[in-house]
Amino acid sequence: MNISNNNSYECYKRIHVGVLCLIFLVLGSDLFAKDRPEYDELRVDIRIERLGTFEIPIAIEDEQAFVAVAPLFEILQLRILEEENGKILSGYVIQPTNSFSINSKTLEVKVKDEVFKLSEEDFILTTTTFYLKSTLFQKIFDFKVKFHFRTLSAELETDLELPVIKQMRLGKLRENIQRLKGFKKPDTLITQEYPYFRAGMLDWGVFANQQTTGNGVNRINLGLGTMIVGGETNLRLNYATNVPLTSRNQFYQWKYVNNESKLFKQVTVGKIFTRSTSTLFAPVVGAQITNTPVLNRRSFGTFNLSDFTEPRWTVELYVNNVLIDYTEADASGFYNFDIPLMYGNTNINLRFYGPYGEERIEERAINIPYNFIPKNELEYTLSAGIVENGENSKFSRLNLNYGLSNWMTIGGGVEYLSGVSSGEVMPFIDASARIGSNLLFSGEYTYGVRTAALLSYRTKSNLQINLDYTNYNEIQTAINYNYLEERKLSLSTPIRTKNFSVFSRLSINQIILPTTDFTTTEFMLSGSLFGVSTNFTTLGIFSLRTLNPTIYSTLSQTYRLPYNFLFSTQLQYGYSAGGLTNGAVRVERPMFNNGFVNVAYQNNFRQESHSLQVGLRYNFNFAQTSLNTNISRNNTSFAQASQGSLLYNRASGSFITANRSSIGRSGISIFPFLDLNANGKKDELEPPVAGLKFKRIPGNLKYNNTQTVLRISNLQPYQEVILELDPLSLDNIGWRIEKPTIAIEVLPNQFHKLDIPVSVVGEVSGMIYLKENGELEGQGRIILNILDEKKEKVTSILSEGDGYFTYLGLKPGSYSAEIDPKQMEKLGYIASEPLNFEIEITEFGDIVDDLEFVIEEKGTEFIVNTQS
């Protein structure tokens, strides 16, 4: 059929649905509203911002909409309790401090500490459901509910980060964690070839600083990411007016990855990262080869990592270049991770992003003390190069690790560094053991340098106990300090009550020196206290050289105020000084959609100095920009910054802008098209398809102006990205995606082209009649087979009660339809001859709706076998 037939069919469906809704509305009051006949109950769609569309019960009375409270809270995954058959509702929104109580008996509503009256017209109570007037949701729960009577639909908007939305945001991270343990096989797997040369990504940054004292500085950063001779090539140029342009301050690296190779899986040339025992204050230029795979292996436990950065900065945790988790630092900058431990070498990297678009390009490489290898496997890493320390010291290191069992790994090797007076050659041995499910042990001995051991135990109540001991050789010079011993004890555990949830840590560090010793103790509480981000830290420093220890406490808090204001405070009290030593306040607020403004004041009471800072940031699509002014007693400084990136899209021959670093990342350009001839390939005259969406987005998604090209950027390379397409997002019911789950291997510094064929399917419908006494009457439960040109069965259809049948899903081609002969034989009936029909190639799908069949009995009484 043509397009008009398709429109007629859509119109028929809408009228049919409308009539059913009208009947439901008419009968609703008779069936349900016995006590209050003036309202009607029905189910409608409610669209929740950032979440989707769901079906929910509502009640309508005199142009007023009442929404069922408990079903809505179940969708939002919020806590709610029903008492006395639903007459009393209580619970809280996100935090226990945001509590509420609705009592239909006393007609009272309690929100936090506020109580107000409820009229009988504000709610409807049935035997199964409590309905609340839609206009009250904002006052009680901070949800804005709008009901549209014309379309019988509702919308919910809120500025709160609801638990269900947070779970969706973390969905991608959970998928990455599942990747460590294996994932479901996709419908389609697309691998890539490593190109000889391919242009990719360009990062840029410009920074300027002026000071009234005349000590200003300007910096320019340029980065280029390409593929050369099949390897990832990254170059970074750093220039500053106050630092000489030297090779030491630049970065260049070529890296080849082949996870299928048995001899080696990674080869790196240029600036290499080493796990050296010796102290290296300069980068190493050389080569590194290893048979350690880039992809993660199965995880078996966790290792706790905590540190400090800027307050409220987002910290991303990468394990072997895969984003595993992220968190937001608290009011003092403290953050905490449980790092998953994998079999094989685990490279830990941290990246830092400010709350207003700042991005800290630096990455911290964390060497965790545990290294487990699968049983009977041997892994090696060989590194060699020159240290850019002005003396061109020669460096090399060989690591060998062997898995004795899945719970114990032994290793060893040798490190060489020229110029070490205590011994340039440093052989070492190490071991890691997992004792039970909660105890981890790591030990290392480096000849002539040190002996180290670490014991970590976690109880079932999540109390973490770490014991760390290191003994240094008195004459060693490989490590650049004169410690004799280091002793560390750390206790950490979460504490949760009704009003607060905090992470607590007590640590004691002791350093033994040849002539003295230092001991530092720290007790910290970090978390949410009555809904306020709070950090309280007490630090003590004790030394044999001084009689009076240094002890001080710092309290940091961040308050969320009305109108999107954030108010942060920090106070430091010195017990030795006997008073406040430092104080700071900061006010922040978003402006102009993507803009942010902040004002901060800091006062050092001991030095009698203070400073005032005013900052403005704005994030464009192509760059992050900022302006800052800092006024202190002796100096005033002004700073300006702008940074972004340029991505080359080979699939379209165009450039794409981004406001974050893109070097080393991957991208995918997706082109959905109508596969009219069903060959799975993009042909010249096949049009693009607009509006395709994903069930989950693996990176940053952007559409072109016509919504026909989807670009995903900021993907981690050297892994299979899982794309889950949403077939229901297509505009036409006759468009299908045969394989919606696709795994595509992505390589760094490039966009991969991915064509998505969208099949156009047709529909067949008609009637099956029973002939009795010369009259025709529709007959249900009769099987109709659809056969292709080769007379192979495509599908079987069961007629409805009135004899009508329909099927949507036939590709263009020639078909025939026949009443199932086996059923006819079993029933003792005969059917009319098969009918041939054609599904033609059209943009919106062909419809054949004029097929009619007649069955009649052979001579026995007709009895329909409902089990057929």
Side-chain angles (χ1 to χ4, degrees):
M1 282 281 179
N2 55 24
I3 297 176
S4 62
N5 287 333
N6 185 61
N7 293 335
S8 299
Y9 175 72
E10 292 293 330
C11 183
Y12 164 77
K13 291 200 301 181
R14 293 174 181 174
I15 295 174
H16 183 69
V17 172
V19 171
L20 290 178
C21 291
L22 182 60
I23 294 174
F24 188 88
L25 287 171
V26 172
L27 296 179
S29 59
D30 292 335
L31 295 175
F32 304 109
K34 295 179 180 180
D35 299 329
R36 196 169 175 176
E38 64 272 15
Y39 70 86
D40 298 292
E41 292 182 273
L42 64 156
R43 301 183 69 88
V44 301
D45 288 338
I46 182 170
R47 188 183 67 83
I48 302 175
E49 188 179 21
R50 294 179 293 167
L51 190 58
T53 302
F54 301 87
E55 192 178 58
I56 191 171
I58 70 160
I60 297 178
E61 178 189 30
D62 295 334
E63 297 297 321
Q64 289 286 344
F66 296 77
V67 180
V69 179
L72 179 61
F73 269 55
E74 291 177 2
I75 294 174
L76 301 179
Q77 297 181 11
L78 296 174
R79 181 175 176 83
I80 186 169
L81 298 175
E82 298 181 274
E83 303 176 22
E84 298 188 20
N85 295 326
K87 296 179 181 178
I88 301 176
L89 303 180
S90 62
Y92 58 84
V93 178
I94 303 180
Q95 298 290 344
T97 54
N98 298 327
S99 62
F100 69 89
S101 175
I102 306 175
N103 193 324
S104 62
K105 298 172 63 179
T106 60
L107 297 180
E108 286 186 345
V109 175
K110 183 178 181 181
V111 181
K112 295 184 181 179
D113 297 328
E114 181 183 358
V115 179
F116 60 90
K117 284 294 183 179
L118 194 73
S119 69
E120 294 184 355
E121 287 73 27
D122 290 334
F123 67 93
I124 295 176
L125 180 63
T126 69
T127 56
T128 59
T129 308
F130 186 100
Y131 294 97
L132 184 68
K133 186 179 293 186
S134 60
T135 55
L136 290 176
F137 276 79
Q138 186 169 12
K139 184 176 183 180
I140 300 176
F141 309 116
D142 204 14
F143 304 154
K144 189 175 182 180
V145 177
K146 298 179 181 178
F147 187 78
H148 305 285
F149 286 90
R150 183 175 180 180
T151 59
L152 290 181
S153 63
E155 294 182 21
L156 185 146
E157 298 177 357
T158 179
D159 293 330
L160 301 174
E161 187 179 29
L162 300 171
V164 63
I165 296 177
K166 185 176 181 180
Q167 290 298 322
M168 291 181 62
R169 183 164 56 87
L170 296 175
K172 172 178 172 289
L173 304 181
R174 295 195 186 96
E175 290 177 6
N176 285 338
I177 294 175
Q178 290 299 321
R179 188 182 303 280
L180 304 177
K181 304 176 182 180
F183 55 91
K184 183 180 178 180
K185 185 177 180 180
D187 300 325
T188 306
L189 176 61
I190 301 175
T191 58
Q192 305 290 341
E193 294 184 358
Y194 287 66
Y196 186 80
F197 172 79
R198 186 166 294 166
M201 316 297 187
L202 175 68
D203 287 351
W204 61 271
V206 180
F207 309 88
N209 179 271
Q210 306 87 36
Q211 301 190 39
T212 55
T213 57
N215 297 322
V217 61
N218 299 318
R219 291 189 294 117
I220 298 177
N221 298 334
L222 291 176
L224 177 64
T226 65
M227 293 287 288
I228 299 178
V229 196
E232 174 187 359
T233 306
N234 295 325
L235 309 172
R236 292 187 184 273
L237 174 66
N238 303 298
Y239 171 74
T241 55
N242 63 338
V243 178
L245 186 63
T246 61
S247 171
R248 175 173 176 170
N249 297 325
Q250 316 310 319
F251 179 83
Y252 44 92
Q253 186 185 84
W254 179 86
K255 182 178 181 179
Y256 177 78
V257 175
N258 184 0
N259 286 313
E260 303 300 325
S261 174
K262 294 182 179 180
L263 181 61
F264 62 87
K265 298 186 185 326
Q266 299 182 59
V267 177
T268 306
V269 178
K271 297 287 182 78
I272 60 176
F273 302 103
T274 64
R275 301 169 65 96
S276 64
T277 300
S278 307
T279 302
L280 300 178
F281 291 116
V284 178
V285 180
Q288 185 179 84
I289 183 173
T290 179
N291 67 339
T292 301
V294 174
L295 301 178
N296 293 319
R297 290 168 170 169
R298 182 173 66 88
S299 84
F300 58 85
T302 59
F303 172 72
N304 186 265
L305 170 67
S306 58
D307 206 342
F308 286 86
T309 183
E310 301 295 330
R312 295 182 53 248
W313 278 50
T314 297
V315 186
E316 292 183 345
L317 169 67
Y318 291 81
V319 177
N320 294 345
N321 287 327
V322 176
L323 177 63
I324 297 301
D325 201 357
Y326 72 94
T327 188
E328 182 180 292
D330 67 9
S332 70
F334 174 79
Y335 62 89
N336 178 65
F337 284 112
D338 281 333
I339 301 175
L341 294 174
M342 273 78 59
Y343 289 115
N345 289 325
T346 303
N347 295 323
I348 306 298
N349 298 93
L350 299 172
R351 300 176 187 174
F352 305 87
Y353 303 95
Y356 304 111
E358 308 98 322
E359 179 176 352
R360 188 171 292 172
I361 303 298
E362 67 167 303
E363 298 183 6
R364 298 184 188 175
I366 309 297
N367 293 333
I368 65 173
Y370 307 104
N371 185 20
F372 289 90
I373 305 298
K375 184 178 179 180
N376 298 330
E377 287 192 17
L378 175 69
E379 286 191 359
Y380 74 89
T381 300
L382 176 62
S383 307
I386 302 297
V387 183
E388 292 185 309
N389 57 1
E391 301 175 358
N392 291 332
S393 301
K394 298 179 179 62
F395 173 86
S396 63
R397 181 180 173 94
L398 172 65
N399 283 81
L400 296 171
N401 292 283
Y402 180 76
L404 285 179
S405 65
N406 286 334
W407 56 269
M408 186 172 185
T409 294
I410 60 173
V414 61
E415 181 175 312
Y416 172 82
L417 180 62
S418 65
V420 179
S421 59
S422 61
E424 296 178 340
V425 179
M426 294 163 277
F428 61 88
I429 58 173
D430 55 48
S432 296
R434 180 164 53 96
I435 306 170
S437 58
N438 299 323
L439 185 62
L440 293 172
F441 169 80
S442 175
E444 175 202 339
Y445 171 72
T446 302
Y447 176 76
V449 181
R450 70 181 181 186
T451 302
L454 175 63
L455 194 66
S456 177
Y457 179 72
R458 173 172 289 188
T459 67
K460 293 182 179 180
S461 60
N462 284 329
L463 171 64
Q464 181 87 26
I465 305 173
N466 290 334
L467 292 172
D468 192 352
Y469 176 78
T470 304
N471 182 280
Y472 297 92
N473 190 299
E474 291 185 8
I475 62 172
Q476 68 86 21
T477 59
I479 299 175
N480 193 32
Y481 39 77
N482 60 341
Y483 296 175
L484 297 180
E485 294 180 57
E486 278 189 281
R487 306 163 183 170
K488 299 179 182 180
L489 168 65
S490 175
L491 304 174
S492 59
T493 185
I495 302 175
R496 297 182 177 90
T497 67
K498 181 179 180 181
N499 295 320
F500 63 87
S501 173
V502 298
F503 175 85
S504 65
R505 184 180 68 182
L506 171 65
S507 60
I508 303 174
N509 299 339
Q510 187 178 40
I511 299 175
I512 308 298
L513 298 170
T515 59
T516 185
D517 66 79
F518 289 93
T519 302
T520 61
T521 62
E522 181 188 65
F523 176 70
M524 186 196 66
L525 296 172
S526 173
S528 178
L529 182 64
F530 297 97
V532 178
S533 175
T534 303
N535 181 288
F536 179 77
T537 301
T538 298
L539 182 68
I541 303 176
F542 305 85
S543 174
L544 294 179
R545 292 181 177 179
T546 58
L547 296 177
N548 297 322
T550 300
I551 304 175
Y552 60 88
S553 294
T554 303
L555 175 64
S556 304
Q557 290 188 308
T558 298
Y559 300 84
R560 294 186 177 273
L561 304 179
Y563 303 103
N564 294 325
F565 279 98
L566 282 177
F567 179 72
S568 302
T569 63
Q570 185 178 79
L571 289 175
Q572 188 178 94
Y573 181 86
Y575 298 95
S576 304
L580 294 174
T581 60
N582 206 324
V585 293
R586 184 183 182 93
V587 180
E588 307 169 1
R589 189 184 189 279
M591 296 181 66
F592 315 122
N593 294 327
N594 293 321
F596 309 89
V597 63
N598 66 82
V599 178
Y601 174 79
Q602 184 172 357
N603 193 339
N604 189 314
F605 301 107
R606 296 189 62 184
Q607 299 180 1
E608 296 183 354
S609 64
H610 56 268
S611 64
L612 175 66
Q613 183 186 71
V614 179
L616 176 65
R617 297 176 177 87
Y618 194 87
N619 294 336
F620 296 94
N621 292 330
F622 60 91
Q624 299 176 7
T625 61
S626 65
L627 301 171
N628 286 279
T629 300
N630 192 303
I631 304 173
S632 60
R633 183 172 60 180
N634 300 321
N635 183 40
T636 299
S637 64
F638 306 92
Q640 307 86 41
S642 181
Q643 59 183 336
S645 62
L646 198 62
L647 298 72
Y648 177 66
N649 188 357
R650 185 177 60 91
S652 60
S654 60
F655 288 92
I656 304 170
T657 59
N659 59 16
R660 292 180 62 171
S661 173
S662 299
I663 289 182
R665 304 296 179 94
S666 302
I668 304 174
S669 293
I670 300 174
F671 297 84
F673 68 95
L674 282 184
D675 190 15
L676 298 177
N677 57 7
N679 65 351
K681 299 179 180 180
K682 176 72 170 66
D683 296 319
E684 184 176 356
L685 298 179
E686 292 178 330
V689 173
L692 179 61
K693 297 180 181 179
F694 292 88
K695 291 183 178 179
R696 293 183 178 90
I697 301 175
N700 297 333
L701 175 64
K702 289 184 179 180
Y703 291 86
N704 66 344
N705 294 332
T706 59
Q707 301 283 304
T708 56
V709 180
L710 299 81
R711 297 186 180 96
I712 303 176
S713 59
N714 200 31
L715 297 174
Q716 297 301 313
Y718 305 117
Q719 62 172 306
E720 292 176 358
V721 175
I722 304 297
L723 302 178
E724 291 189 61
L725 307 175
D726 184 7
L728 299 179
S729 64
L730 300 177
D731 292 338
N732 191 283
I733 195 174
W735 293 350
R736 299 286 178 86
I737 298 178
E738 303 295 336
K739 298 179 179 180
T741 304
I742 301 171
I744 177 172
E745 179 187 4
V746 294
L747 302 180
N749 297 326
Q750 57 187 286
F751 270 86
H752 303 278
K753 182 180 180 182
L754 179 60
D755 291 328
I756 303 294
V758 178
S759 302
V760 183
V761 297
E763 181 180 4
V764 61
S765 62
M767 292 291 297
I768 299 177
Y769 296 102
L770 171 65
K771 185 176 182 181
E772 280 187 320
N773 301 324
E775 296 183 358
L776 297 179
E777 183 178 354
Q779 179 59 51
R781 303 198 63 79
I782 299 300
I783 300 174
L784 181 73
N785 297 326
I786 305 297
L787 310 176
D788 59 15
E789 291 180 299
K790 299 179 181 179
K791 299 303 179 182
E792 295 180 357
K793 184 188 295 185
V794 176
T795 187
S796 294
I797 311 170
L798 193 65
S799 65
E800 300 177 8
D802 59 355
Y804 178 76
F805 66 85
T806 181
Y807 176 75
L808 175 65
L810 298 176
K811 295 181 179 181
S814 300
Y815 297 89
S816 62
E818 66 173 12
I819 300 296
D820 187 71
K822 294 182 179 179
Q823 186 188 37
M824 292 297 97
E825 181 67 26
K826 186 175 182 179
L827 295 175
Y829 273 70
I830 58 175
S832 53
E833 295 296 322
L835 298 177
N836 297 323
F837 63 95
E838 187 85 14
I839 297 294
E840 299 180 353
I841 298 177
T842 65
E843 184 175 345
F844 298 98
D846 191 16
I847 297 178
V848 176
D849 59 359
D850 55 357
L851 300 186
E852 292 185 352
F853 296 89
V854 178
I855 62 174
E856 57 183 337
E857 60 179 326
K858 293 179 180 179
T860 59
E861 183 179 357
F862 178 82
I863 300 177
V864 176
N865 185 355
T866 59
Q867 302 300 319
S868 299

